[in-house]
Amino acid sequence: EADIYQTPRYLVIGTGKKITLECSQTMGHDKMYWYQQDPGMELHLIHYSYGVNSTEKGDLSSESTVSRIRTEHFPLTLESARPSHTSQYLCASSELDSGEETQYFGPGTRLLVL
Amino acid sequence: GIQVEQSPPDLILQEGANSTLRCNFSDSVNNLQWFHQNPWGQLINLFYIPSGTKQNGRLSATTVATERYSLLYISSSQTTDSGVYFCAVVGGGGADGLTFGKGTHLIIQP
């Protein structure tokens, strides 16, 4: 199992604030991902990275941005939070191993924007 | 993009019962995973299974890639099995991110 950490676990913040959600993994995986999940719904890919200095947008349009300066770290930033950003954000990582590429997920950050 | 459909959407069972959850997908896949999301939102890996059959304790899964479906079997259900079960795939031609189905919400009653 991969060890993936996300902070904060819960965040309540006012409209217009800048926020950064942290994601770190200790397994040295090259690939990392961010997914967004609204309550009671499925997850949607919003960003992914194949390695350092690589970032791509996912299937779901998002106003957030990401960076990948270090292999183990993949933070997500919202420059100006809005109530529509209220959701759960889950980070994942993966690496091909013996022909299998399992994605492992962190515990998630629940964001509430007032 | 690839479509993933899960059935049934909701399932209520008594403790000790067996269940079968189904996942249909619309195109060939490079990756198929089953997850259990617990009440705290944590996604727990159950199986990586783009083809074939695997078993882990009371859980097993079978994917028939040529017919584009996967089944998750839960035997002798326990209340701790409650939660949402997601099937997620990576399509053959797309990015490596997972496309999720809408999940099956399972409630196991004591």
Side-chain angles (χ1 to χ4, degrees), chain B residues 11-21 36 57-59 72-83 85 106-110:
Chain B
L11 187 58
I12 301 174
L13 298 172
Q14 294 297 121
E15 201 168 21
N18 300 329
S19 59
T20 301
L21 282 56
H36 175 211
R58 296 182 295 105
L59 275 60
L72 177 68
Y73 306 96
I74 305 173
S75 64
S76 304
S77 298
Q78 301 174 358
T79 56
T80 52
D81 293 332
S82 297
Y85 289 80
L106 177 64
I107 297 174
I108 304 298
Q109 296 178 332

Side-chain angles (χ1 to χ4, degrees), chain A residues 36-39 82-89 111-114:
Chain A
Q36 183 176 343
Q37 183 183 28
D38 292 334
R82 295 208 298 269
S84 60
H85 296 141
T86 294
S87 190
Q88 175 165 239
Y89 294 84
L111 173 65
L112 173 61
V113 183
L114 302 175

Side-chain angles (χ1 to χ4, degrees), chain A residues 34-36 44-47 56-58 60 62 64 76 89:
Chain A
W34 276 103
Y35 293 84
Q36 183 176 343
H44 292 280
L45 179 70
I46 53 174
H47 297 284
E56 303 288 344
K57 290 189 178 295
L60 182 67
S62 174
S64 58
L76 181 145
Y89 294 84

Side-chain angles (χ1 to χ4, degrees), chain A residues 31 35 37 42 101 103-104, chain B residues 31 33 37 45 96 98:
Chain A
K31 295 181 182 177
Y35 293 84
Q37 183 183 28
E42 69 270 38
E101 187 157 6
Q103 288 195 22
Y104 298 95
Chain B
N31 178 350
Q33 290 183 241
Q37 188 166 42
N45 283 300
D96 292 338
L98 290 165

Side-chain angles (χ1 to χ4, degrees), chain A residues 1 9 31 33 35 37 41-43 45 48 50 59 88 90 99-107 110, chain B residues 31 33 35 37-43 45 48 54 86 90 94-103:
Chain A
E1 285 284 336
R9 293 292 312 279
K31 295 181 182 177
Y33 314 83
Y35 293 84
Q37 183 183 28
M41 304 295 287
E42 69 270 38
L43 285 74
L45 179 70
Y48 60 100
Y50 288 129
D59 305 321
Q88 175 165 239
L90 294 107
E100 296 191 357
E101 187 157 6
T102 303
Q103 288 195 22
Y104 298 95
F105 282 78
R110 291 186 188 271
Chain B
N31 178 350
Q33 290 183 241
F35 296 92
Q37 188 166 42
N38 65 23
W40 296 271
Q42 174 77 51
L43 272 175
N45 283 300
Y48 171 95
K54 289 185 177 179
F86 285 106
V90 176
D96 292 338
L98 290 165
T99 298
F100 281 75
K102 294 187 181 300

